[in-house]
């Protein structure tokens, strides 16, 4: 069965859409039409009743999944930097995240571990998971996301050093391709003293290993 032979009953009505944080009505309609074409191409394998509202659902979903593009990093941390006399390492571990691989649009997910050595300033605890979420909710590759988190931590908090470790499983390697569902990819990025001093770096990695 070809695309032309399948009636496109799944085309959505843009009256179902409202402007979102990232996608306006027109963008959502364009996405929905693309999903309708995908469902039509699949043909008889699609449950027409079950997928009738799928294009609309998917278009609205992407406004949420890609919401990280709309977040301003300076606004995110504004008012959450505090002057404190603390010169030991701060580590926030096991921050859950979900992201979309930009190569196949399949999810990858896992945990982020963040450590930094303050230089008279600390950041509010909730801001670090929010920072991870900002970069995760984009079309991503794990390597870039790891570097982005480290760079923003380094530039906005201005610590003595920063360390980031990301551990993730990728559905593009589990559901397709090599089909190895238990594969875990680990990436890291270090800045400042974490990069120059092996003792500091080892202390951070020790915290991570005891997750």
């Amino acid at each position: 069965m070809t695309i032309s032979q399948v009636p496109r009953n799944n085309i959505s009505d843009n009256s179902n859409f409202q402007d979102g944080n990232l996608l306006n009505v027109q963008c959502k309609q364009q996405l929905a039409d693309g999903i309708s074409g995908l469902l039509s191409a699949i043909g008889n394998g699609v449950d027409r009743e079950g997928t009738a509202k799928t294009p609309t659902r998917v278009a609205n979903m992407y406004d949420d999944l890609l919401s990280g593009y709309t977040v301003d990093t300076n606004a995110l941390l504004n008012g959450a930097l505090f002057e404190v006399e603390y010169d030991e390492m701060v580590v926030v571990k096991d921050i859950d995240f979900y992201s979309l691989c930009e190569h196949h649009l399949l999810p990858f997910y896992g945990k982020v571990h963040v450590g930094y050595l303050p230089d008279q300033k600390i950041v509010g605890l909730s801001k670090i998971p929010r920072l991870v979420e900002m970069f995760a909710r984009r079309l991503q590759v794990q390597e870039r996301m790891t570097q982005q988190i480290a760079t923003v931590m380094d530039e906005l908090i201005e610590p003595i050093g920063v360390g980031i470790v990301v551990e993730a499983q990728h559905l593009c390697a589990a559901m397709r391709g090599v089909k190895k569902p238990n594969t875990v990819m680990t990436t890291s990025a270090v800045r400042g003293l974490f990069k120059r001093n092996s003792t500091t770096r080892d202390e951070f990695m020790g915290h991570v290993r005891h997750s």
Side-chain angles (χ1 to χ4, degrees):
M1 182 174 291
T2 64
I3 295 177
S4 60
Q5 292 173 319
V6 180
R8 295 185 63 181
N9 298 327
N10 290 340
I11 294 178
S12 58
D13 177 0
N14 63 15
S15 63
N16 294 319
F17 296 126
Q18 295 181 345
D19 287 341
N21 291 329
L22 176 67
L23 303 173
N24 60 24
V25 169
Q26 290 74 24
C27 290
K28 288 182 178 181
Q29 185 62 56
Q30 188 175 357
L31 274 172
D33 290 345
I35 297 300
S36 294
L38 171 67
L39 294 173
S40 294
I42 295 171
N44 287 341
V46 175
D47 176 357
R48 292 294 174 182
E49 182 179 354
T51 59
K53 295 183 179 180
T54 295
T56 300
R57 293 189 189 104
V58 172
N60 285 319
M61 175 189 72
Y62 273 108
D63 191 61
D64 180 37
L65 295 183
L66 302 178
S67 60
Y69 287 116
T70 67
V71 180
D72 177 77
T73 53
N74 290 288
L76 179 67
L77 296 180
N78 185 38
L81 292 176
F82 309 99
E83 293 188 6
V84 176
E85 293 185 8
Y86 182 80
D87 59 359
E88 300 294 336
M89 192 176 296
V90 177
V91 178
V92 182
K93 301 190 298 181
D94 298 328
I95 304 169
D96 293 314
F97 80 91
Y98 298 86
S99 190
L100 284 176
C101 170
E102 66 182 27
H103 300 145
H104 297 97
L105 299 184
L106 286 172
F108 67 97
Y109 62 95
K111 297 182 182 297
V112 178
H113 314 288
V114 177
Y116 70 100
L117 200 57
D119 185 12
Q120 305 300 317
K121 287 188 295 185
I122 62 170
V123 63
L125 173 60
S126 67
K127 299 301 181 180
I128 295 178
R130 290 182 187 276
L131 187 63
V132 171
E133 186 82 349
M134 180 187 75
F135 287 116
R137 288 188 174 270
R138 302 180 179 191
L139 297 180
Q140 276 289 13
V141 294
Q142 183 177 331
E143 297 89 339
R144 182 200 301 131
M145 187 181 82
T146 307
Q147 295 284 356
Q148 288 174 330
I149 297 169
T151 297
V152 169
M153 289 282 295
D154 193 40
E155 291 178 349
L156 296 186
I157 302 175
E158 299 179 328
I160 298 171
V162 171
I164 309 294
V165 171
V166 180
E167 301 170 307
Q169 292 179 275
H170 293 245
L171 293 191
C172 60
M175 296 176 64
R176 56 160 301 282
V178 295
K179 296 183 178 66
K180 300 298 181 185
N182 296 315
T183 302
V184 177
M185 179 176 175
T186 302
T187 51
S188 65
V190 288
R191 302 283 190 274
L193 195 63
F194 282 58
K195 194 177 190 74
R196 299 190 304 269
N197 187 289
S198 61
T199 301
T200 303
R201 187 168 60 251
D202 289 346
E203 179 185 346
F204 170 61
M205 294 301 180
H207 287 298
V208 171
R209 284 192 292 271
H210 288 90
S211 296

